[in-house]
Amino acid sequence: MSAKPEVGLVREASRQIVAGGSAGLVEICLMHPLDVVKTRFQIQRCATDPNSYKSLGDSFRMIFQVEGLFGFYKGILPPILAETPKRAVKFFTFEQYKKLLGYVSLSPALTFTIAGLGSGLTEAIIVNPFEVVKVGLQANRNTFAEQPSTMGYARQIIKKEGWGLQGLNKGLTATLGRHGVFNMVYFGFYYNVKNMIPVNKDPTLEFLRKFGIGLLSGTIASVINIPFDVAKSRIQGPQPVPGEIKYRTCFKTMATVYQEEGILALYKGLLPKIMRLGPGGAVMLLVYEYTYSWLQENW
C-alpha cells in the first residue's frame, strides 16, 4: 500500500534533481568568463597595483592578450563538477524546505523567502571546497597551459593547509552569507512577483515574462549579496603578503576592506557579477522550470 506514494516521492525528487542539475550546467557553460573577470576585480586591492584592470573592457582585453581565449575558462572544472550537484541541491532543497514550511502557518511570501535562505545555506556547505579551488585557479595570471591542474591545485591546498577552515574549507562563513542571502532574495523575489503578474497565453510573451522576472531576481540578489562575495574572494584568494594571512573571517574582512579601501571596494566586481547572474539567474530558473515540466510529461 505504501509503495506507490514512495515511488512517487522518489520520482518527484529525481525530477527536481535532474532539472536543477541541468540548469546549473547550462548556466555555468554560458556565463563562466564573467565569473573569471568578477573574481579578478575582487582580489585586486588598489588602482596603483601594476596588475590592476582599469575597466571591464580592459580586463577582457588583457586576459585575452596575456592568457588567451582559454584564460576566460580558468577554474571552470571545479564549477562544472560542482554546479550540476550544486544547482540540483539548490532547487531540490528549495522545494523540500518549501514543502516543510507548508506545515507552518506562514504567508506564501515568507515561505518562498525562508525556503530560499535554507537552500542557500545548504548549497554553501556543499560547494565551498570547490569555490576555494576555483578562486585560486582564477587568480592565477599565467597562461592556461602553465597553470596547475584542478586536482593538482586541490592536492596542494590539502597538503599545505589541510581540509579545515584554513584549508579546503576556508571562507565558509562568507560562502554561507553569499549563498544564503542570494537564494533568499532570488527565490523570494521570483516566485512572489511571478505570482502577482498574470500568466500570458502567448508562449513567447510568457517566456519573456518569466525571463524578465528571473533577470530582475538575479540582479537584485547580486547587488545585495556582493559584500559577502568580495569577502569570500579575499579570504579564499591570494593574500597581500605571501605566508601572512590578512583576511580570515567574513565580517572582519568586510570591515578591513571598508576601512582601508572605502565602501565601494565592497562592491568590486558588481558589473560582471550582474552581467553573469542577471541573465544567468533567469536562464537557471527557465531551464529548471521547462526541464521539470518536460520530465513531468515524459517521465
Side-chain angles (χ1 to χ4, degrees), residues 67 94 148 152 160 197 260 279 292:
E67 304 165 49
F94 172 72
K160 289 181 182 177
I197 300 175
E260 294 183 354
Y292 183 70

Side-chain angles (χ1 to χ4, degrees), residues 33 42 64 226 252 256:
Q42 290 177 343
F64 182 74
I226 196 168
K252 190 174 179 183
T256 301

Side-chain angles (χ1 to χ4, degrees), residues 198-218:
V199 174
N200 201 298
K201 292 179 181 178
D202 183 287
T204 303
L205 293 176
E206 177 60 10
F207 175 87
L208 291 173
R209 178 183 80 99
K210 289 180 178 178
F211 187 87
I213 300 168
L215 179 70
L216 277 174
S217 301

Side-chain angles (χ1 to χ4, degrees), residues 106-145:
L106 294 174
S107 68
L110 202 54
T111 298
F112 291 131
T113 304
I114 295 173
L117 174 63
S119 75
L121 296 175
T122 308
E123 180 186 28
I125 293 167
I126 293 169
V127 80
N128 193 63
F130 295 93
E131 287 290 320
V132 172
V133 176
K134 183 198 78 171
V135 170
L137 290 172
Q138 288 180 341
N140 186 323
R141 297 198 181 199
N142 294 328
T143 63
F144 191 84

Side-chain angles (χ1 to χ4, degrees), residues 219-270:
T219 301
I220 294 168
S222 297
V223 172
I224 293 173
N225 91 324
I226 196 168
F228 290 98
D229 202 358
V230 171
K232 174 189 156 302
S233 292
R234 293 294 179 94
I235 294 166
Q236 294 177 344
Q239 300 293 308
V241 179
E244 182 181 314
I245 300 175
K246 179 177 182 178
Y247 304 112
R248 289 181 181 274
T249 61
C250 178
F251 290 106
K252 190 174 179 183
T253 297
M254 286 186 193
T256 301
V257 171
Y258 171 72
Q259 289 165 3
E260 294 183 354
E261 303 170 47
I263 188 70
L264 292 180
L266 290 171
Y267 291 86
K268 280 185 175 180
L270 180 60

Side-chain angles (χ1 to χ4, degrees), residues 24-199:
L25 187 61
V26 171
E27 190 271 340
I28 194 64
C29 290
L30 290 174
M31 300 295 177
H32 188 74
L34 288 162
D35 193 55
V36 172
V37 173
K38 179 209 72 173
T39 301
R40 293 288 180 87
F41 271 106
Q42 290 177 343
I43 61 176
Q44 66 184 30
R45 276 162 279 277
C46 59
T48 56
D49 182 348
N51 293 316
S52 68
Y53 301 116
K54 298 176 179 66
S55 65
L56 186 64
D58 181 56
S59 67
F60 276 100
R61 187 168 52 255
M62 290 298 294
I63 291 171
F64 182 74
Q65 287 177 354
V66 176
E67 304 165 49
L69 181 62
F70 287 114
F72 292 108
Y73 290 91
K74 282 184 172 180
I76 195 172
L77 187 56
I80 281 179
L81 294 173
E83 284 299 316
T84 302
K86 169 186 168 183
R87 301 307 189 193
V89 167
K90 181 192 196 81
F91 286 97
F92 173 69
T93 55
F94 172 72
E95 297 291 350
Q96 299 313 304
Y97 285 127
K98 190 172 67 173
K99 190 183 292 184
L100 284 172
L101 290 166
Y103 295 104
V104 184
S105 55
L106 294 174
S107 68
L110 202 54
T111 298
F112 291 131
T113 304
I114 295 173
L117 174 63
S119 75
L121 296 175
T122 308
E123 180 186 28
I125 293 167
I126 293 169
V127 80
N128 193 63
F130 295 93
E131 287 290 320
V132 172
V133 176
K134 183 198 78 171
V135 170
L137 290 172
Q138 288 180 341
N140 186 323
R141 297 198 181 199
N142 294 328
T143 63
F144 191 84
E146 293 173 333
Q147 75 167 28
S149 68
T150 299
M151 293 306 296
Y153 186 65
R155 282 194 291 269
Q156 282 179 32
I157 294 171
I158 294 166
K159 187 176 179 181
K160 289 181 182 177
E161 299 161 335
W163 294 83
L165 295 177
Q166 298 303 317
L168 205 59
N169 271 294
K170 65 182 171 184
L172 178 60
T173 53
T175 306
L176 287 167
R178 184 181 83 152
H179 287 263
V181 170
F182 184 90
N183 282 10
M184 180 176 69
V185 177
Y186 180 64
F187 284 119
F189 184 89
Y190 179 76
Y191 285 103
N192 283 301
V193 173
K194 193 177 82 161
N195 289 342
M196 290 164 56
I197 300 175
V199 174

